């Protein structure tokens, strides 16, 4: 039986950020998923208590940490090049420490230290509490590594230092790791077993953010529908004396923190997502009408090979059910083209599924074989790269059509938008997001960041809605 930690602290945990007069400077760069960005905030918090303030200026840094991603080969390639670019800085400042964190640290362990001599420090996603000790070792002239994965670490008691945030939207990590073992995916190997964080600390973090003026929280997990506190995988309560919480209950608890605190969550899994979650979304206006539900492929044969645990028909039924409960719910997805043995007919099934669903957004990739995964060990990566890329382009083109069609239907509608910051193109315009996670751009008028404004949509591009405040 899955063992989960059940201790909870008495009362509400406090979330304080120390404001010490730190003397050293940490430059922290993150790649990959939102989870990595959220982890970097935990790292910044741990190091803040150990003498480091963050800086955006590489040149003044005493410590450079790169939080890395291994999901596709290209992501690792980008990080390697970045690490090589630090060699010059190290020559100028021999005391400069360079370290890698996250998935690549876990995957490559000592090789980055020994073979390539690119870094002084390698720390996996469950070992961040050990950073101060590891840094001491490096300062003493050693190279340092901790890539141990944990079954229990959730960093539940650590109050993240909010990086790159204007105090409007904050990530809350609700669980770590993944037990799904999709055959293409490296995450179970780099982030370890699934474990959920105490609901008490999650709600306390949401309250803390709200009290600090935040307007939105994003609950993060590799598969949020597997969130379980005091419930085992057979859906049985483990200890009758402690309250149990599943994801829909957690979502409701967070939604109840404040009526004007927007709640988003990611990522949902088609095999685990229940209607309960959608009903809770419908019940609470502040939970955004947006679900990220990666399908990966439209072919049931390929889905089985991917070990996704559902068929095309199951996925379409999930979509139907979501739309019956919340007709205007925005749905986005992830799609991989050219997975092992994907034939033209299989690929047509993906296009067919896309046409049936008409996703609001998609994140699209061609298959990239990853070490240790079931696909790497057992299947042949037998779709030629050019075919993978051609198929990807077709998927991108089709998504663009659907996005434009969806965006067109928004013209003339009035949408509540949370103002996030200046638009990329003009200092006179703000950019924000509506309930369905669409980017909306509009002239500032007298609104300010963090406000909710009503915007009448007048125009659109494939990625943005454009309008004016009314
Ligand atoms: N190749 C291509 N895309 C991948 N993803 C995960 N692993 C791979 C891989 N080996 C995509 C999936 C997942 C998203 C985060 O990245 O679509 O949902
Ligand atoms: Fe990877 Fe599948 Fe887990 Fe997502 S659900 S992180 S794709 S193993």
């Amino acid at each position: 039986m899955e063992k989960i930690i059940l201790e909870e602290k008495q009362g509400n945990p406090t979330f304080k950020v120390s404001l010490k007069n730190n003397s050293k400077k940490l430059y922290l760069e993150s790649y990959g998923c939102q989870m990595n960005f959220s982890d970097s905030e935990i790292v910044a918090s741990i190091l803040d208590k150990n003498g480091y303030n963050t800086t955006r200026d590489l040149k003044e840094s005493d410590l450079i940490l790169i939080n890395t991603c291994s999901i596709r080969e290209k992501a690792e390639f980008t990080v390697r090049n970045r690490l090589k670019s630090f060699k010059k800085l190290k020559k100028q400042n021999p005391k400069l420490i360079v370290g890698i964190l996250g998935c690549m640290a876990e995957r490559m362990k000592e090789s980055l230290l020994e073979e390539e001599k690119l870094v002084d420090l390698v720390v996996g996603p469950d070992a961040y509490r050990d950073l101060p000790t590891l840094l001491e070792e490096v300062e003493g002239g050693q190279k340092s590594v901790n890539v141990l994965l944990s079954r229990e670490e959730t960093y539940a008691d650590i109050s993240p230092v909010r990086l790159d945030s204007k105090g409007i939207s904050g990530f809350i990590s609700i669980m770590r790791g993944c037990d799904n073992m999709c055959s293409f995916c490296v995450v179970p190997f780099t982030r370890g077993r699934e474990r959920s964080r105490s609901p008490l600390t999650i709600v306390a973090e949401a309250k803390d953010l709200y009290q600090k003026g935040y307007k939105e929280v994003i609950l993060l997990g590799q598969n949020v529908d597997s969130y379980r506190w005091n419930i085992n995988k057979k859906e049985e309560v483990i200890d009758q004396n402690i309250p149990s919480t599943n994801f829909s209950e957690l979502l409701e608890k967070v939604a109840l923190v404040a009526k004007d605190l927007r709640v988003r969550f990611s990522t949902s899994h088609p095999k685990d997502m229940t209607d309960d979650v959608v009903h809770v979304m419908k019940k609470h206006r502040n939970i955004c009408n947006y679900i990220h539900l990666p399908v990966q492929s439209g072919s049931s044969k390929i889905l089985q090979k991917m070990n996704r645990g559902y068929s095309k028909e199951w996925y379409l039924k999930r979509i139907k059910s979501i739309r019956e409960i919340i007709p205007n719910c925005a749905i986005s997805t992830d799609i991989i083209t050219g997975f092992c043995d994907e034939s033209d007919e299989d690929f047509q099934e993906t296009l067919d599924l896309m046409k049936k669903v008409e996703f609001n957004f998609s994140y699209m990739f061609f298959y990239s074989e990853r070490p240790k995964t079931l696909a790497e060990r057992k299947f042949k990566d037998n779709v030629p790269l050019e075919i993978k890329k051609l198929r990807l382009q077709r998927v991108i083109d089709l998504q663009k059509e659907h996005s434009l069609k969806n965006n067109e239907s928004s013209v003339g509608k009035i949408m509540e938008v949370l103002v996030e910051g200046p638009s990329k193109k003009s200092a006179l315009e703000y950019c924000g997001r509506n309930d369905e996670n669409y980017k909306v751009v509009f002239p500032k008028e007298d609104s300010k960041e963090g406000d909710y404004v009503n915007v009448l949509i007048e125009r659109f591009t494939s990625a943005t809605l454009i309008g004016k405040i009314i």
Side-chain angles (χ1 to χ4, degrees):
M1 191 170 63
E2 183 80 349
K3 193 173 159 264
I4 59 170
I5 21 165
L6 293 174
E7 314 93 50
E8 292 205 342
K9 290 210 182 81
Q10 291 298 310
N12 275 349
T14 51
F15 285 93
K16 264 199 207 147
V17 174
S18 93
L19 291 170
K20 282 188 204 154
N21 242 345
N22 286 330
S23 59
K24 289 184 272 185
K25 295 269 194 300
L26 158 67
Y27 178 89
L28 187 49
E29 203 169 271
S30 306
Y31 292 84
C33 61
Q34 291 174 319
M35 202 68 165
N36 260 7
F37 286 76
S38 167
D39 276 5
S40 290
E41 297 185 336
I42 287 166
V43 168
S45 172
I46 291 168
L47 291 179
D48 171 68
K49 293 183 182 68
N50 287 273
Y52 286 90
N53 274 349
T54 53
T55 175
R56 283 165 194 263
D57 183 0
L58 207 51
K59 290 201 197 85
E60 67 163 20
S61 60
D62 303 288
L63 169 62
I64 300 175
L65 292 178
I66 308 296
N67 199 348
T68 60
C69 170
S70 290
I71 200 109
R72 282 169 289 276
E73 201 177 5
K74 189 164 169 269
E76 292 193 347
F77 196 70
T78 311
V79 167
R80 269 170 195 282
N81 280 341
R82 189 70 176 134
L83 289 174
K84 283 180 194 153
S85 77
F86 298 143
K87 278 188 174 169
K88 215 163 105 199
L89 283 173
K90 272 189 89 89
K91 266 198 193 134
Q92 286 160 0
N93 172 11
K95 278 193 175 162
L96 175 67
I97 300 172
V98 177
I100 66 158
L101 313 175
C103 291
M104 258 175 98
E106 196 58 55
R107 205 180 77 67
M108 312 189 94
K109 304 192 164 82
E110 282 91 358
S111 81
L112 285 162
L113 281 181
E114 287 163 7
E115 292 156 31
E116 306 183 43
K117 302 204 175 359
L118 288 173
V119 293
D120 310 293
L121 180 71
V122 176
V123 191
D126 288 345
Y128 298 145
R129 283 182 205 269
D130 203 20
L131 264 165
T133 315
L134 297 168
L135 278 167
E136 266 176 34
E137 285 174 12
V138 176
E139 278 159 1
Q142 282 171 265
K143 301 267 176 186
S144 235
V145 186
N146 185 346
V147 287
L148 285 177
L149 287 173
S150 157
R151 285 195 153 220
E152 277 148 21
E153 180 62 274
T154 58
Y155 301 109
D157 56 319
I158 293 180
S159 164
V161 166
R162 304 289 165 182
L163 301 167
D164 292 327
S165 158
K166 299 191 183 93
I168 296 169
S169 182
F171 293 129
I172 303 182
S173 161
I174 65 164
M175 60 195 298
R176 299 180 73 78
C178 184
D179 283 355
N180 280 321
M181 292 289 176
C182 299
S183 61
F184 54 80
C185 185
V186 79
V187 167
F189 303 95
T190 59
R191 288 192 157 266
R193 299 300 298 271
E194 194 175 276
R195 65 222 100 117
S196 296
R197 177 181 169 189
S198 138
L200 202 71
T201 62
I202 295 169
V203 171
E205 193 171 328
K207 279 187 184 156
D208 180 64
L209 285 170
Y210 182 68
Q211 275 154 15
K212 289 187 173 126
Y214 279 73
K215 297 288 166 57
E216 179 178 270
V217 292
I218 306 167
L219 307 182
L220 291 183
Q222 236 74 43
N223 174 5
V224 291
D225 303 296
S226 299
Y227 177 87
R228 46 171 74 81
W229 185 254
N230 192 23
I231 307 170
N232 66 19
K233 285 198 166 168
K234 290 184 203 143
E235 306 295 328
E236 299 156 343
V237 172
I238 298 170
D239 183 338
Q240 301 297 337
N241 301 314
I242 316 179
S244 62
T245 310
N246 65 20
F247 180 61
S248 62
E249 290 159 348
L250 177 76
L251 188 60
E252 178 144 51
K253 282 183 206 249
V254 176
L256 289 169
V257 165
K259 281 202 176 90
D260 57 343
L261 181 68
R262 266 191 181 179
V263 185
R264 296 188 191 279
F265 57 89
S266 188
T267 298
S268 304
H269 196 302
K271 81 174 161 57
D272 299 317
M273 186 175 192
T274 60
D275 283 350
D276 291 358
V277 173
V278 194
H279 284 298
V280 170
M281 291 171 72
K282 187 184 164 126
K283 188 167 154 200
H284 296 276
R285 212 184 143 250
N286 57 328
I287 305 178
C288 290
N289 283 338
Y290 170 57
I291 301 173
H292 182 56
L293 197 67
V295 66
Q296 314 296 3
S297 167
S299 150
S300 295
K301 176 192 107 188
I302 295 296
L303 287 170
Q304 191 172 21
K305 214 171 168 101
M306 287 176 162
N307 195 27
R308 289 289 290 175
Y310 56 87
S311 62
K312 179 185 186 185
E313 291 68 34
W314 170 279
Y315 188 88
L316 290 171
K317 258 212 258 29
R318 288 291 334 130
I319 299 287
K320 188 163 172 264
S321 176
I322 293 168
R323 289 188 169 150
E324 269 165 16
I325 302 167
I326 307 179
N328 62 337
C329 189
I331 301 172
S332 64
T333 202
D334 291 346
I335 291 173
I336 299 177
T337 63
F339 186 63
C340 315
D341 285 348
E342 185 188 72
S343 65
D344 265 336
E345 291 73 38
D346 293 318
F347 177 62
Q348 288 302 328
E349 296 275 345
T350 298
L351 296 178
D352 178 65
L353 180 132
M354 288 178 76
K355 285 178 194 157
K356 289 200 163 93
V357 179
E358 296 198 353
F359 293 105
N360 300 76
F361 321 98
S362 290
Y363 301 88
M364 299 154 282
F365 319 97
F366 65 79
Y367 173 58
S368 154
E369 187 177 80
R370 305 312 292 135
K372 276 197 186 173
T373 57
L374 184 76
E376 186 253 352
R377 286 181 286 121
K378 295 270 161 64
F379 311 147
K380 262 207 175 117
D381 182 9
N382 53 5
V383 177
L385 183 62
E386 71 208 80
I387 304 271
K388 286 180 182 173
K389 287 188 175 171
L390 273 174
R391 289 180 184 165
L392 176 62
Q393 194 53 51
R394 287 191 64 192
V395 163
I396 292 171
D397 292 343
L398 184 59
Q399 180 55 49
K400 206 166 168 187
E401 265 179 44
H402 294 158
S403 297
L404 285 170
K405 190 173 157 197
N406 266 315
N407 293 359
E408 197 173 7
S409 69
S410 300
V411 173
K413 289 191 183 150
I414 296 165
M415 297 177 171
E416 189 180 61
V417 176
L418 174 60
V419 185
E420 289 177 357
S423 88
K424 275 191 198 136
K425 290 202 180 129
S426 161
L428 300 174
E429 288 175 341
Y430 270 141
C431 177
R433 275 172 204 277
N434 73 1
D435 200 22
E436 283 88 31
N437 209 29
Y438 277 86
K439 222 163 91 185
V440 183
V441 170
F442 49 91
K444 286 179 174 175
E445 312 223 349
D446 46 10
S447 64
K448 54 184 192 313
E449 290 174 14
D451 281 353
Y452 286 104
V453 293
N454 287 319
V455 177
L456 171 69
I457 306 303
E458 298 173 315
R459 293 179 292 128
F460 59 90
T461 65
S462 63
T464 314
L465 302 177
I466 307 159
K468 63 172 184 214
I469 297 179
I470 54 154

